Amino acid sequence: MNPIERKKYDWLAIGLYLGIVIFGWLNIYSACYDPEHAAIFDLTLQHGRQLLWIAMALVLAIVILNVEPRFFADTSYIIYLVVIALLVLTLFIGNETNGGKSWIKIGSFKLQSSEFAKFATALAIAKYISAIDIDIAKFRTKATAIAIAAIPAGLILLQHDTGSALVFASFILPMFREGTSGMVLIVGLVAVVLFVLALLINKYVLIGIVAACCLFYLFVWLNKRTRRNYTNILAVFVVAVAFIFSVDMVFNHVLESHQRERIEVLLGKREDLLGAGYNVHQSKIAIGSGGFVGKGFLRGTVTKANFVPEQDTDFIFCTVGEEWGFLGSGLLIAAYVVLLVHLVSMAERQRSTFARFYGYSVASILFFHLMVNVGMVLGLLPVIGIPLPFFSYGGSSLLAFTFLLFIFIRQDADKNQLL
Amino acid sequence: MSNKYADRNRVVKTIFIVTGALFIVRLAMLQLFDPKYRELAEQQSLRPVTQYPARGFIYDRHGELLVHNEAIYDLMVIPRMVKGLDTNYFCDAVGITRDDFDARMKKARTYSPYSPSIFMKQISKEEYARWQNKAFRFKGFYISQRTLRIYDRPIAAQVLGYVGEVDQADLDRDPYYRMGDYIGKSGLEKSYEEVLRGVKGKKIMHVDALNREIGPYQNGALDTLPIEGCNLYTTLDADLQQYAEELMANKRGCVVAIEPSSGEVLAMVSAPCYDPNLLVGRIRGDNYRALNANIAKPMQNRALMEQYPPGSIFKVAQAVVALDLGVIQPNTGFVCDKSLVGCHNHPSAQTVPDAIKMSCNPYFYQVYRRVIQQNHDKSANRDSQYGLTVWHDYMLRFGFGKQLDIDLPKGGMASGNIPDTSFYNRWYGRRRWNFRTIYSNSIGQGEVAVVPLQMANLAATVANRGYYITPHMVRFYGPDSVRDERYTTRNETGIGRQHFEVAIRGMYGAVHEPGGTGHRADVPGLDVCGKTGTAENKGNDHSVFIAFAPRENPQIALAVYVENAAGGGGSWAAPIAGLLIERYINGEVKRKDVERQYREAAPCQKLPLPPHKAKKSKKKRQ
């Protein structure tokens, strides 16, 4: 039986990928546009190099689509170990950029190892979870899965690349799908809300609110009040109070000063438009000035005049907002959401746990990037420097995201084959 | 087992969709409903570029240009932007060698590869014209134009003042100024800053985040042109000013000459002088430090900022006050009793003019006693309190004891001192003083202090026989010839004209009659009236002279002050005053030998002076 005949590629996912990559390149071209150096293919300029990366990514995609799907399942641990080794290596021979050691320089080529750690970890956890004798309900299973994600995350944290390390929290979603309790999501959400409120309002007022919520839950919401209910609510309350009091400590001693500043700017506790708040302020100006249809391709004034730092990488969305307006940026968000939702649907139609878990991981990692990056640019989240998938300038991230997505598309193409 | 949780895909999809929707709502808020960002975008990418108006010129009273501007061109370079330069061609175009080019480029690059720095300073107009034809070939180079203050005659530096970059205090005080703007720092440049500076224009340029101009916005439709500063037409007589500065060379002290009828200051010299061109352009910093460090304080305008004991010139004011009070008559005589206060050898004065002519100290001791002790009260102290209050009131009407409202910066200006009862109550304690403790004031010593401008103003007041117009430096300014109302009203002393005539008889005698102390101020053919003064202080006495001429319809009144010049008012200040009067009224000085003698003389004791010489007895004062 010739497997090639049975391949059925998901052209919607491939089409969205291509669309986003091309639109991304147009915006990088615009962000770096200089009327006197309008050449499209010029390796001294970002958009010229990005064109090279895109070509490499397409070759890579075609290669992946023609590899045996089993290959990735079989070699996932090896890939994982190779990437871990790379991460360790980076700590020793890495190049410093923006205060972090996250690049390995090979000739003129700079490799950001943390980008490749994402799909490698996704493969490794998928492989682990899909083993025959694994029971997700067991604590041991969960602990091991967390460890597989925590090792690269920890190494990346040592590179001072907090943003990339946080990406590994994405695996909460595939784990949730596989059967871990949804409480993790709720507790996480509550913790974020409490953290923000603790910074914004008086702690005793906040404790009062928490107490009121607990009492409301206990006496109005619940029909039956058992002794167990009382003790549980009391425990929740005590933990919440302890959390609230620890917020200051965490904020002032665990976070680094630039992280503190960024959070303060976001919460409006600090007006520092030329310092910590500069990027986001400028990015809001760029986007806000775009209006409904935008200023037109190559015609942005804020981004064109270099007011927005990192406008070809982490702040690339500004260019979209300024030049393509609400229409363009809204459609881009919509395209991402369609891709994400479609990926979840694709994952659900997989017959193997490995492919499903991997598919969920792909969607979650992309989602996390989208949420943090766009949230930052729109001034909804603190500044955390991670790229917009398939869109931001950067060879490592484009190649790594292409790996991530196309390994899944390859799995999906053979979904009817039993692994 | 897995399909048990298959429904959870909806939770995950919901999270994705809700997040996406949240972003789109946020985008709508920023892009569709909040106009703030569009405005901010325009504000920062369209930057108003200031166009500087030419600063007003300054003229002397005859219309001679004293201060003007000159455009100078600096060749600037931004090293990073230099691309594809034909270096040899460039060197030919600007006329430098290849080595010179390399050295200059290296210096610029060391300063900053991204920021403009001066490649070649102050290129000539011809070079500039030549440059413009070729400029398009030299990317990264451009010409920056600045204007500098130019002084054709190196005179009146302290009066004209200088301009410099604004400091933080200026920025805080007046929102008109921006960092790097120029502002008058002293003298007329400071006091007439708002007249001279004009109004800045605005050019709206499209700029990038590095503040580099990309091009004009809407082809300049919204631009405003700068409005040039107003010209100042000063009261100075440039020739007299220059002559006075020449006479004051090698000396410390000052000269103030006033036209009595108008209060216009004809000359104001503070020696040592300096060339105002020293404080212009790139050399300013070093020169400023050097001038500031000079212990003779050349930057200080002594005519306004120093106060000295007036010495005997003060007697003129005492005489008219006593005559006005009626406590003496023109023919009142007093014996020259040196037991009261020291004096030089001269016959006793039989009349007021005699006393002024000979500058008799015991005579004015008696005069002042009659002013202070009017037998108003049995207690010597209360009697003196009454007398002193009357006297203090008179003195203020002469413009003593307060800043004269001249149109120069008030900061640092001295106000002199005329003691009143509360001053002595603080000084000696309540009721612990009377005439016996304060008599030194009568001869211009003790606690009185006057500013040289006030001395010249005294001369003008006497010349006017009883009033003065506040001395000022500017006649009018601007195309509308604006005049200041402060300088058109008379300040009356309230003392009768006839009393001044008595004093003037004495001042005439001082210059023209035997036994007069100021005969060296005599100018043949002119009836100069003057009064010498010798002011005690630490170091040698200061030599003081006030004078006016002619006696009727005086054209000039002046005060000359030579610091620490041994020999009294008659020896140094009087002849200098005579030369100045001759020069101003006759237009030239015929007495070349006298001129040479006093121009070359350097009578002032060297600084730093010995510590205070405690001279208790007031003796030998002319």
Side-chain angles (χ1 to χ4, degrees), chain A residues 271 273-274 278 281-282 285-286 288-289 295 301-303 305 307 322, chain B residues 34-50 178 202-212 214-215 217-218 222:
Chain A
E271 177 93 343
L273 298 184
L274 292 176
Y278 179 80
H281 181 65
Q282 291 296 345
I285 290 176
S289 68
K295 297 175 185 170
T301 55
V302 181
T303 45
F307 282 102
E322 188 181 15
Chain B
D34 195 343
K36 182 175 93 184
Y37 296 103
R38 184 177 291 272
E39 285 158 22
L40 283 172
E42 290 189 354
Q43 262 172 38
Q44 65 177 12
S45 54
L46 300 177
R47 182 151 312 166
V49 178
T50 307
R178 293 280 170 273
K202 202 171 71 175
K203 203 161 72 173
I204 300 174
M205 296 297 284
H206 199 193
V207 296
D208 70 7
L210 297 174
N211 208 7
R212 291 179 300 217
I214 301 169
Y217 178 64
Q218 292 186 5
L222 303 174

Side-chain angles (χ1 to χ4, degrees), chain A residues 7 9 14 17-18 53-67 72 398-399 401-407 409-410:
Chain A
K7 272 188 213 162
Y9 296 127
I14 294 173
Y17 165 83
L18 289 174
W53 299 130
I54 291 172
M56 284 173 69
L58 293 180
V59 171
L60 182 74
I62 292 166
V63 170
I64 293 170
L65 290 182
N66 287 291
V67 168
F72 294 104
L398 180 61
L399 292 178
F401 281 123
T402 304
F403 259 117
L404 183 75
L405 180 65
F406 279 85
I407 289 173
I409 292 177
R410 179 71 192 94

Side-chain angles (χ1 to χ4, degrees), chain B residues 363-416:
Chain B
Y363 187 96
F364 282 94
Y365 173 97
Q366 301 285 13
V367 169
Y368 192 56
R369 196 185 65 184
R370 289 197 181 178
V371 171
I372 298 299
Q373 297 183 339
Q374 296 183 28
N375 293 325
H376 197 77
D377 196 289
K378 271 180 229 153
S379 146
N381 171 259
R382 278 205 293 276
D383 192 26
S384 297
Q385 282 196 33
Y386 173 80
L388 188 71
T389 305
V390 170
W391 173 80
H392 180 261
D393 186 39
Y394 270 110
M395 289 298 109
L396 289 195
R397 281 188 262 154
F398 277 91
F400 293 130
K402 62 185 180 193
Q403 283 184 353
L404 284 170
D405 196 11
I406 192 171
D407 46 353
L408 281 170
K410 296 281 184 288
M413 202 185 278
S415 51

